Amino acid sequence: MIARSLLGAAAGLLLFVSGAWGALALSYQLPGPPPLRVVGAALWSVAYLALLIAFFGWRAWWAPLSGVILLGLLMAWWVTIQPRNDRVWADDVAHLLSGEVQGDHVILHNVRNFTWRAEDDYDARWETREYDLAHLVSADAVLSYWSSEAIAHAMLSFGFDDGRHVVFSMEIRREKGEAFSEVGGFFKQFELVLIAADERDIIRVRTNVRGEDDYLFPLRMPREAMRSLFVSYVSAANRLVVAPRFYNTVTSNCTTIVYRMARRIDDGLPMDIRLLLTGYLPEYLMDNGALDKRMPVDEWRRLGRITDRARTSHADDDFSAVIRQGVPPAVLSDASPSSGDSTLKPFAANADR
């Protein structure tokens, strides 16, 4: 009797969860205008509600079987939805980054260098830039808080000894008129895009235009690790050019992708809830040796808050130098990843608007 009750409860739960998932999937991906998607989701919900009533009210044996058949048909359609690179994209994600690496010489195509005045008022520039990895001297985590203290968008900025910086940021690739949705990120609403951008563009748009609160944390890692991580970003960008991927809020976002890249350098990098709740990423960085322990995390936060400096910067300022005023540089380690030194614990990044 107990086993039968448990089996019935499990079947009912499966019907409910699959019904809710199906309704959301249809509301986001059913072809046609939004009203048609709403109607499709509503019809699916009514059908599943009827199956629940039939199962729990009438003990109809065919109700779970019918639910499985409906779900199978939906899944057969779902797997046909594939990521694409040929949609009508928003201007700030219109071009795909690609790169060429020949020894220390790197050429990046489609580096973004917008001048932002408002979300819908900007000068769009996409540039080809060249870098010499022999002159790579720093890597900084940049966290941009836009929701709560637990949620931040994380980026990685690489610095060269001539004062130049380039920021890599894994983000959603929005179509024109489309807005970020965490729920939509579960239902193939967005493709992934890897942006390389000038700091004045990608940091300033967040602090000065979107009203976000940004922090910079100098990372402590060997130079060879910085180089390897830089090259892994270029490789990831090139793969997205030939094989587009969907963003997923949990399984395929900037957290998981950058974590996988970092694991290529240090396979001992631990999984941690702070890789999803990246507002707490500085604590993870310190625990894993990437943030210098000469100061507590709160002091790094205080010194690394760059929001006000970004907002008061002028067009003719050296933006990268201005935002780093008062931020102590990292003490670099020359240890190799295989030496057992825990100074190589690169970070992973989270949800990207």
Side-chain angles (χ1 to χ4, degrees):
M1 188 67 176
I2 295 177
R4 184 176 179 181
S5 297
L6 290 175
L7 184 61
L13 180 62
L14 177 62
L15 276 171
F16 176 79
V17 171
S18 61
W21 181 87
L24 286 168
L26 290 168
S27 68
Y28 279 100
Q29 290 296 338
L30 188 67
L36 181 61
R37 296 199 297 268
V38 171
V39 170
L43 291 175
W44 175 273
S45 300
V46 169
Y48 254 71
L49 180 60
L51 290 175
L52 285 171
I53 293 173
F55 180 69
F56 285 107
W58 305 335
R59 299 296 180 185
W61 63 268
W62 48 264
L65 179 61
S66 299
V68 169
I69 293 172
L70 281 176
L71 185 61
L73 292 173
L74 184 69
M75 291 301 298
W77 161 73
W78 185 254
V79 298
T80 67
I81 303 172
Q82 297 297 317
R84 295 165 50 182
N85 279 335
D86 60 349
R87 306 184 196 276
V88 181
W89 304 109
D91 289 344
D92 59 330
V93 292
H95 297 283
L96 288 173
L97 172 69
S98 63
E100 304 155 28
V101 181
Q102 296 290 335
D104 286 333
H105 184 231
V106 178
I107 302 175
L108 294 183
H109 304 284
N110 293 323
V111 177
R112 202 180 75 192
N113 188 20
F114 282 29
T115 298
W116 295 89
R117 291 174 292 274
E119 283 277 16
D120 57 355
D121 182 14
Y122 45 79
D123 299 324
R125 289 186 300 273
W126 297 90
E127 302 172 349
T128 294
R129 295 187 176 185
E130 299 187 29
Y131 300 94
D132 186 345
L133 297 181
H135 295 272
L136 179 62
V137 294
S138 67
D140 302 319
V142 180
L143 298 187
S144 190
Y145 290 79
W146 53 273
S147 177
S148 68
E149 67 176 18
I151 302 298
H153 175 55
M155 302 169 280
L156 195 62
S157 179
F158 291 94
F160 295 81
D161 59 11
D162 60 0
R164 292 192 302 160
H165 291 79
V166 60
V167 181
F168 289 100
S169 175
M170 192 70 75
E171 307 188 0
I172 63 168
R173 198 176 192 193
R174 307 177 332 279
E175 297 178 59
K176 276 191 180 293
E178 201 171 35
F180 174 72
S181 166
E182 290 178 340
V183 176
F186 287 102
F187 295 98
K188 298 184 178 182
Q189 185 177 5
F190 311 109
E191 276 83 0
L192 274 172
V193 62
L194 179 57
I195 297 292
D198 191 277
E199 285 190 332
R200 184 185 293 274
D201 169 342
I202 203 164
I203 293 176
R204 194 173 179 277
V205 68
R206 295 177 179 277
T207 57
N208 294 38
V209 175
R210 300 177 185 171
E212 300 179 11
D213 194 20
D214 282 30
Y215 295 76
L216 186 144
F217 298 91
L219 299 181
R220 177 175 176 262
M221 65 171 69
R223 293 180 187 274
E224 184 56 33
M226 285 191 290
R227 183 190 186 284
S228 181
L229 194 55
F230 190 105
V231 172
S232 71
Y233 270 107
V234 180
S235 298
N238 289 337
R239 287 195 298 271
L240 287 175
V241 171
V242 298
R245 296 181 59 181
F246 279 121
Y247 171 90
N248 184 282
T249 302
V250 171
T251 63
S252 186
N253 53 46
C254 52
T255 303
T256 55
I257 290 170
V258 179
Y259 175 75
R260 290 179 196 133
M261 288 192 292
R263 289 271 299 190
R264 293 172 54 194
I265 304 168
D266 181 0
D267 59 11
L269 185 68
M271 280 298 295
D272 192 293
I273 189 61
R274 292 169 294 186
L275 297 176
L276 293 176
L277 302 177
T278 45
Y280 305 121
L281 191 58
E283 286 80 3
Y284 176 86
L285 295 175
M286 179 162 284
D287 289 347
N288 289 284
L291 188 60
D292 201 312
K293 296 184 179 180
R294 60 184 146 155
M295 293 187 296
V297 171
D298 287 346
E299 185 66 6
W300 278 113
R301 285 186 188 275
R302 186 184 71 81
L303 295 174
R305 185 173 184 269
I306 61 176
T307 304
D308 293 336
R309 295 192 286 273
R311 289 174 179 169
T312 57
S313 64
H314 301 288
D316 57 350
D317 287 339
D318 182 337
F319 182 81
S320 295
V322 167
I323 63 173
R324 285 173 174 77
Q325 290 176 3
V327 183
V331 177
L332 299 184
S333 167
D334 291 326
S336 67
S338 60
S339 67
D341 191 298
S342 62
T343 58
L344 175 57
K345 297 293 181 183
F347 81 112
N350 193 33
D352 315 284
R353 305 192 307 143

